Amino acid sequence: MEQLPDDVLVAVMQFLDVEDLLACRLVCKRFSSLVLHRDVWRHRSLDDDDWRRSSRVGAVLRLAPCLDKLVVSARSLAVTTTRCAVATLKLLTASLRGRLDVESDTLALAFALALRNQESLGRLRRLQLELPTFRSAPAIDALLGTVALCSGLKSLEVLTNLPKLIYPVQHGPPMPSLTHFRCSVDKNSASFVHTILAGHAATLEEVNLVIDAGLGVVETSRTAELLGTMPRIRSLRCQDFTATTEFCKMLVEALTSCGRSHLERLALLEVEAVRPLLRALPLLPALRQLDLDAKPNDELLKSITTASALTLLEVALHEGGQCPHAWIHRDAVKTTLAANPSLHIQLWCNSDDKCVPQDCETCVVGCHQEVQWDEVRRIGLYSHDPDMCPSPEDHTDDTDWQRSYYQTPDVPCTWIRF
């Protein structure tokens, strides 16, 4: 083994468990040094809430030069001073349910210190927040203020609703860097979200927002306005629970007011009125994928001819009793596919109250017998030669735009060629 070069030993050590790596440090000085090589650690993940391996967490944070991902909860405060640089940091408090508020406040401050520490190490690129148990407190203001000021991040995901802030977040990063942002927007988080959107407007490419029903008109207007100021945005997903048509109107106006839009993917969920969007399709020449929770009526289909770049339209059946088989035989569906050979239409069948096949005028005809219409959840339609598809990625079941009411990310799609 002494004849093996260092890079070969380092490559082997990448496959060892942490306990074995720590044991290797006791073999000889050479092994003790190679164990600390960054290539041994940079693809590994560590969860400080794993009580079965709690003894090794402190050792790793003291010895490892870097990690790919670190999940921080309430188990170890060594993350506030460690010199182990991580690429992904997840701040998690799911294990704190039912504990004292003072303990939550202490952890919030520890999270802020851990984040500042990782920022100073210069490797942090992705941050995830899950803060379900915190109350309104100065510690929360400190934590979210630290997040808003953090520089160098590429991805920021807030996985839960944020607690109420005592003072609004007003100061963003020294330089924009985010390309991906995900968060819910409500009265509590509006100042935080708006600061992030404004501070990273120049670099954001993918935004995923959930608009809360209690969000006021002023905050809603500000959100839409900020989304329209991003020159590099390519993907936008908004789930609007305000039960109004105003947000859709303001969003479309903002997206089309700054000249030529580069938006390629747009998902508007829980949005009832989409007429403003339909009228604006010619002003979105780069739009390739459109996902709407709207009634898939003839007006929607006919408007697709004005969006020459569109290759995928996703719509959903919501009303009880609607038959997907009858819908795909509508004249508007056939006309739209004939006029747009590169278009794919994916129909999500979300209603639990589908038609009874033997009572449906379309189903009794007997066509498309290979499809189980009473069980199908997703149907794909197209008219071009499958061997000459301009966007073959649209034919796959894999989608990162999965709808929230399905547990699995991949919902099988039954494809039908017209």
Side-chain angles (χ1 to χ4, degrees), residues 96-114:
L96 270 185
R97 292 189 182 277
R99 297 194 182 186
L100 298 176
D101 289 330
V102 65
E103 196 170 355
S104 296
D105 295 346
T106 302
L107 185 60
L109 292 176
F111 279 2
L113 291 173

Side-chain angles (χ1 to χ4, degrees), residues 156-159 180-184 206-209:
L156 173 59
E157 294 185 332
V158 183
L159 305 178
H180 171 79
F181 178 52
R182 170 186 174 186
C183 191
S184 295
E206 183 177 355
V207 178
N208 187 339
L209 299 180

Side-chain angles (χ1 to χ4, degrees), residues 97-405:
R97 292 189 182 277
R99 297 194 182 186
L100 298 176
D101 289 330
V102 65
E103 196 170 355
S104 296
D105 295 346
T106 302
L107 185 60
L109 292 176
F111 279 2
L113 291 173
L115 176 57
R116 184 60 61 86
N117 181 49
Q118 288 298 326
E119 180 187 12
S120 69
L121 295 176
R123 192 165 181 262
L124 185 63
R125 295 297 178 265
R126 297 174 294 275
L127 176 63
Q128 295 179 325
L129 292 177
E130 187 171 343
L131 315 174
T133 58
F134 284 145
R135 57 171 182 154
S136 177
I140 298 302
D141 286 24
L143 173 58
L144 294 182
T146 303
V147 173
L149 286 169
C150 189
S151 60
L153 286 178
K154 294 298 183 182
S155 174
L156 173 59
E157 294 185 332
V158 183
L159 305 178
T160 54
N161 292 332
L162 293 176
K164 186 177 181 180
L165 298 174
I166 298 177
Y167 299 102
V169 177
Q170 297 180 338
H171 302 289
M175 292 185 61
S177 60
L178 277 183
T179 59
H180 171 79
F181 178 52
R182 170 186 174 186
C183 191
S184 295
V185 191
D186 55 25
K187 290 184 177 180
N188 295 335
S189 65
S191 66
F192 172 78
V193 173
H194 294 165
T195 298
I196 295 296
L197 293 179
H200 297 277
T203 56
L204 274 170
E205 299 179 3
E206 183 177 355
V207 178
N208 187 339
L209 299 180
V210 177
I211 313 298
D212 187 77
L215 194 64
V217 177
V218 175
E219 292 86 357
T220 302
S221 176
R222 180 60 175 162
T223 303
E225 177 186 349
L226 288 170
L227 291 173
T229 62
M230 301 175 183
R232 299 180 60 181
I233 190 167
R234 298 289 187 271
S235 175
L236 175 60
R237 178 187 178 98
C238 290
Q239 195 162 0
D240 182 17
F241 290 101
T242 59
T244 67
T245 62
E246 294 303 319
F247 177 73
C248 183
K249 293 179 181 179
M250 291 185 290
L251 177 61
V252 171
E253 291 177 359
L255 291 175
T256 58
S257 63
C258 300
R260 185 179 179 88
S261 171
H262 297 283
L263 190 67
E264 298 177 1
R265 307 176 70 183
L266 176 62
L268 296 177
L269 307 183
E270 305 297 334
V271 175
E272 295 183 359
V274 294
R275 286 193 176 186
L277 174 62
L278 302 182
R279 292 193 295 267
L281 282 178
L283 301 177
L284 300 172
L287 191 65
R288 296 186 300 104
Q289 297 185 21
L290 178 61
D291 185 357
L292 297 175
D293 255 3
K295 293 181 180 179
N297 53 32
D298 294 352
E299 180 186 8
L300 170 62
L301 295 173
K302 292 177 181 179
S303 67
I304 301 304
T305 56
T306 63
S308 57
L310 200 66
T311 62
L312 177 61
L313 170 66
E314 295 186 62
V315 290
L317 289 178
H318 287 294
E319 297 180 0
Q322 288 194 89
C323 177
H325 191 187
W327 186 86
I328 70 171
H329 281 284
R330 295 177 66 89
D331 291 337
V333 175
K334 300 176 182 179
T335 301
T336 301
L337 289 173
N340 300 271
S342 61
L343 180 66
H344 306 77
I345 299 178
Q346 290 191 6
L347 179 69
W348 291 80
C349 312
N350 304 319
S351 174
D352 294 330
D353 183 23
K354 298 186 178 72
C355 75
V356 180
Q358 58 267 28
D359 297 335
C360 177
E361 296 181 358
T362 304
C363 293
V364 296
V365 174
C367 63
H368 301 115
Q369 295 183 3
E370 72 280 4
V371 182
Q372 295 180 322
W373 295 104
D374 56 339
E375 298 180 5
V376 68
R377 294 189 297 174
R378 188 176 169 203
I379 300 171
L381 308 175
Y382 66 100
S383 61
H384 52 266
D385 186 340
D387 295 329
M388 301 181 63
C389 180
S391 54
E393 65 276 8
D394 293 331
H395 284 273
T396 64
D397 292 339
D398 184 17
T399 173
D400 58 354
W401 291 61
Q402 69 269 19
R403 295 177 177 264
S404 59
Y405 28 72

Side-chain angles (χ1 to χ4, degrees), residues 70-92:
L70 175 62
V71 181
V72 181
S73 57
R75 294 289 178 181
S76 173
L77 296 181
V79 293
T80 62
T81 58
T82 181
R83 305 311 296 168
C84 177
V86 303
T88 301
L89 179 64
K90 183 173 182 178
L91 304 178
L92 172 68

